Amino acid sequence: MKRSLIALAIGTFGLGIAEFSMMGILSDVAADLNISIVKAGHLISAYSAGVAVGAPGLIVLRRWPLKKLLLLLMAIVAVGNAMAAFSPSYAMLLIARFFSGLPHGAFFGAGAIVCSRLAKAGEGAQAVAVMVGGMTIANVFGVPAATMVSNLVSWRLMFALVSFFGMLAFACIKGWVPYIAPLPDTGLRGQYQFLKKPQPWLIYAGVFLGQASVYTYLSYVDPIMTRVAGFTMGDMTWIMMVAGAGMVVGNFIAGRLADRYPASLVTAWLAMLVIVVMPAIYFCSTIKIPVVVLTFIATGCLFGIGGPLQFLIVRYAKGGEMLGGAGIQIAFNVSNAMAAMLGGAAIHMGLGLASPALVGIPCAALGGAALFVLHYKYKG
C-alpha cells in the first residue's frame, strides 16, 4: 500500500473522530458549559454547516497544487480543533466547530483526485477506499476510544486528539505525497458546468438516498438495541464497534468490486441489498444476535455505497472535480440530518422504536433506481 494513501487515510481518520465523537460527549459538554443538551446539539449542526460552506469554497483555491491544498486543509483541522479544546465559552466552541468543519468536504474532494492520480491503472476505486478507510477505522477504534477518554477525563481531550491527528496527517502528507500539479483552471463559471449534466445529480441522489436508507435506522440504533433488543448500555460500545467493522469491510469490498465492475452497478445492487436488510432488522429487532449481524451488513452497505461514488464523481465532474468530490460530503451530511428527522417522525407517529428501519426502504429503492439509471442510460 502506498504511503501517500496512508497519509490521506490518517487525515480522514481524524475527520471521522471529529464528526462522530461529538454525539458521545454532548452530555459532558452541556454539563461543563452549563447549557442544555439541545443547545449542545447545535455543536453538531455547526460542524455540518462548516462542511457545507467549506466545500464550495474550494473554487477559490482551484489554482493551488493539490499537495499544498491538502496541507492547508489539515492545518485548519489542527488549528480548529485546538481552538475547540481550549474554548472558554459555548460561543467560542460553536465558532471553533464551524471553523474545523470547513476542510472536511474539501479534503475528501481534493483527496479523491489525488487518489485517482496516484493509483495504478484500474485501481482508482480501491485507492479512494483506502482514503475513506481512515474514517471507517475511526468508527471502529477512534470514536469509542476518544469518547471513553473524554468521558473519563475531559471532553476537551477529544478535540485535542483530533488536532494531533491533523498535525500528524500534515506531516505525513508533506513527507509522503508527491507534488501534484493543479487541475486545469476552467474559470469560476467552468467549476459549475458539470452540474448541467444529469450524471452528477444521479450520483448525488445515490449518495443522499443511499446514506439515508441506513441512517434512518442508525440514528436510533441506541434505543433500538437497548429498549427493543434488550442490550445494556454497556453493550453499546462493542455493538458500535461491530457497526464500525461493517463500515470497514463494506468500504474495501465495494472498492475492489468497483474496479472490476461499473461503480454505479455495484452501488445500485448494494442499495437493493438495503431493501432486504431494513425490514429484516425491523422484524428481528427483538432478537439479539440477528439484529447485530444485520447491523453489520447495513453499515457495510452504507460505506459500500458512498466510497465508490466518491471515486465516480471525479469522472463526471470535469472542470470542477474538487467541487464535485466535495459535493459528495455535502450530500452525506445533509442526508444524515434528514434521515434522523425521518426516523424520528416514524417514532413520533407511534410506529414503534424499530420503525426507522422501515423508513429506510423507500430511500434505498429511490437511490438504487437513480444508480441503475446512471448505469444503463449513461454507462456510469
Side-chain angles (χ1 to χ4, degrees):
M1 186 181 297
K2 292 185 176 182
R3 293 191 302 175
S4 52
L5 299 180
I6 295 175
L8 298 178
I10 292 171
T12 62
F13 181 85
L15 293 173
I17 296 175
E19 182 173 16
F20 295 110
S21 290
M22 193 69 230
M23 293 80 161
I25 64 172
L26 276 185
S27 297
D28 295 333
V29 173
D32 190 45
L33 297 180
N34 195 27
I35 57 176
S36 68
I37 285 291
V38 174
K39 197 172 182 180
H42 294 163
L43 296 168
I44 298 174
S45 301
Y47 188 88
S48 296
V51 175
V53 172
L58 273 176
I59 61 175
V60 179
L61 306 175
R62 63 186 182 276
R63 297 187 181 92
W64 281 33
L66 291 170
K67 179 178 179 178
K68 183 180 178 181
L69 178 58
L70 291 174
L71 289 172
L72 172 64
L73 296 173
M74 277 298 107
I76 295 174
V77 170
V79 172
N81 283 279
M83 287 170 55
F86 292 101
S87 292
S89 66
Y90 171 74
M92 184 65 186
L93 182 56
L94 197 68
I95 293 170
R97 281 289 286 174
F98 175 81
F99 182 74
S100 60
L102 291 173
H104 185 110
F107 187 84
F108 277 91
I113 299 168
V114 171
C115 288
S116 64
R117 295 276 191 92
L118 296 177
K120 297 178 181 178
E123 296 183 2
Q126 291 180 61
V128 172
V130 172
M131 178 185 73
V132 175
M135 177 170 279
T136 63
I137 293 172
N139 277 283
V140 181
F141 302 109
V143 172
T147 302
M148 181 181 67
V149 172
S150 297
N151 290 336
L152 290 174
V153 184
S154 170
W155 58 267
R156 297 179 185 274
L157 285 180
M158 188 276 281
F159 297 110
L161 186 64
V162 177
S163 182
F164 166 77
F165 278 106
M167 291 185 286
L168 179 61
F170 182 97
C172 292
I173 290 170
K174 187 174 179 61
W176 296 345
V177 176
Y179 172 83
I180 299 175
L183 295 168
D185 184 15
T186 57
L188 189 60
R189 291 183 61 186
Q191 297 292 309
Y192 295 95
Q193 291 300 308
F194 74 95
L195 292 173
K196 293 182 177 180
K197 299 178 180 179
Q199 294 94 322
W201 292 107
L202 291 169
I203 292 173
Y204 289 144
V207 172
F208 185 88
L209 294 164
Q211 302 301 301
S213 69
V214 178
Y215 261 100
T216 52
Y217 159 69
L218 200 59
S219 298
Y220 298 93
V221 66
D222 186 331
I224 292 172
M225 289 294 182
T226 56
R227 295 167 61 181
V228 180
F231 287 103
T232 66
M233 285 301 298
D235 289 326
M236 286 309 300
T237 299
W238 68 262
I239 289 172
M240 293 311 295
M241 291 182 73
V242 170
M247 296 177 188
V248 174
V249 173
N251 174 58
F252 280 100
I253 290 178
R256 287 185 173 275
L257 289 174
D259 279 330
R260 295 184 61 184
Y261 307 100
S264 55
L265 191 59
V266 171
T267 51
W269 280 112
L270 285 173
M272 293 299 100
L273 179 57
V274 173
I275 295 176
V276 177
V277 171
M278 286 299 114
I281 287 176
Y282 177 79
F283 288 111
C284 295
S285 59
T286 59
I287 312 172
K288 289 184 175 180
I289 294 178
V291 76
V292 172
V293 172
L294 289 165
T295 298
F296 175 89
I297 298 171
T299 55
C301 293
L302 176 72
F303 271 79
I305 292 171
L309 295 180
Q310 182 83 61
F311 166 71
L312 189 61
I313 193 65
V314 176
R315 183 195 308 172
Y316 290 109
K318 297 301 181 185
E321 290 90 344
M322 284 194 292
L323 184 61
I328 294 288
Q329 293 303 309
I330 296 176
F332 185 88
N333 278 269
V334 176
S335 175
N336 292 353
M338 184 203 74
M341 288 190 293
L342 290 175
I347 294 173
H348 288 308
M349 289 172 63
L351 300 178
L353 280 176
S355 60
L358 297 179
V359 179
I361 298 171
C363 294
L366 291 171
L371 294 168
F372 277 125
V373 170
L374 177 64
H375 174 69
Y376 288 108
K377 185 172 182 179
Y378 300 103
K379 308 302 179 184

